[in-house]
Each structure stands twice: as structure tokens, then as C-alpha cells.
Amino acid sequence: MAIERTLAILKPDCVRKGLIGEVTRRIQEAGFHIRAMKLIKLSKEEAEGFYEVHRERPFFGELTAFMSSGPCVPMVLEKDNAVADYRKLIGATNPADADEGTIRRLFADSVGENIAHGSDSIENGLRESAYFFAEHEIVANG
Ligand code: ADP
């Protein structure tokens, strides 16, 4: 399997609940290498830009209001098969449908406020990483 890059975001509910450390520990224990990480509060416009593909969805306003409601923690992760493995670690979008032991099942309250984001393809992993980090901010071999 090839080394892939994926963008994780610890969403504002994760930060509000004091779970940055807990979720980051689980990510690292699952074998992901953190190549970049920061705390940032998105503007509504920045959240809309990030979720542009969902603009026509009924939950777009709710989603972008939530994502700009407080600080979040984007991080670039690398690992063999990172995109699929990270989505497996966080679980299904709706925590009620997520497998036991997944991050969303353990910590999320609802489909809207579901603790963590993960890129859904290799291409989006690269594009989304670039949305938050300049290439020189991504550490090659941390
Ligand atoms: P994922 O984050 O699992 O890739 P999607 O790309 O389908 O899921 O949706 C992006 C985000 O939009 C979700 O993580 C969730 O925060 C929000 N979302 C998705 N579906 C709904 C919904 N039905 N109601 C409210 N928010 C939703």
C-alpha cells in the first residue's frame, strides 16, 4: 500500500468538549503520522469555501455555521492507506450508525456535530491539506 495524505479536522465540538488530546492520541495510536497541525477559528466564508461541494445540500447553512462557531484543529496525516483507514477510525457520518469504538461513536452527539472530519479521497486529501497549510508548513518526515 502507498503512503497517502489525508486532512483531519477536530471540529469545534471536539475542541469545546476538551477532547483534542484524547482524539489526537487515538489517531497517533492508530499509526498516523501528524505532518502539520494548528488551532484556527474559521470565518463563515472560510467554512463555506471548505465545504463548497455541499453548497446545494439542505444542511449547508447549519454545517458552515457550526464549523465557524469556535476553534477547530486541522491536521495533515500520513500513513499507508491513510484516507480509508482514517475514515474507518472516525466511523460513519452519523454517530448512531458508526461502529463501536470509532471516534464518532464514542464522542459525537449528532450527524451535524460529529467531532471529526476526514478527506474522502486521495485527491481531496491533497486539496484539503492545501486549503489549510502551505506546503512548507507540512513536515516531510516528522
Ligand atoms: P463525512 O464528513 O462523513 O465525509 P459528508 O461529506 O456527507 O460526511 O458531510 C459533511 C459533513 O456535513 C458531515 O461530517 C456532517 O458534519 C455534516 N452533515 C452531513 N449530513 C448532515 C445532515 N443530514 N444534517 C446535518 N449535518 C450533516
Side-chain angles (χ1 to χ4, degrees), residues 4 8 13 15 25 49 55 74 100 102 113 137:
E4 296 173 359
D13 55 336
V15 177
R25 183 182 65 76
R55 188 170 284 277
E100 290 288 346
T102 59
E113 304 204 0
E137 295 176 303

Side-chain angles (χ1 to χ4, degrees), residues 11 51 54 57 59 62-63 66-67 87 90-94 104 111-114 116-118 120:
K11 295 185 179 185
Y51 281 112
H54 292 314
R57 308 281 283 277
F59 56 81
E62 179 191 335
L63 171 62
F66 165 61
M67 289 301 292
R87 286 179 69 87
I90 62 175
T93 308
N94 187 340
R104 284 169 166 168
V111 65
E113 304 204 0
N114 61 1
H117 166 84
D120 65 1

Side-chain angles (χ1 to χ4, degrees), residues 23-41:
V23 174
T24 303
R25 183 182 65 76
R26 286 169 184 270
I27 290 169
Q28 291 185 293
E29 281 187 354
F32 293 87
H33 298 283
I34 298 172
R35 301 302 192 202
M37 181 176 184
K38 65 183 166 190
L39 184 81
I40 184 176
K41 186 172 185 297

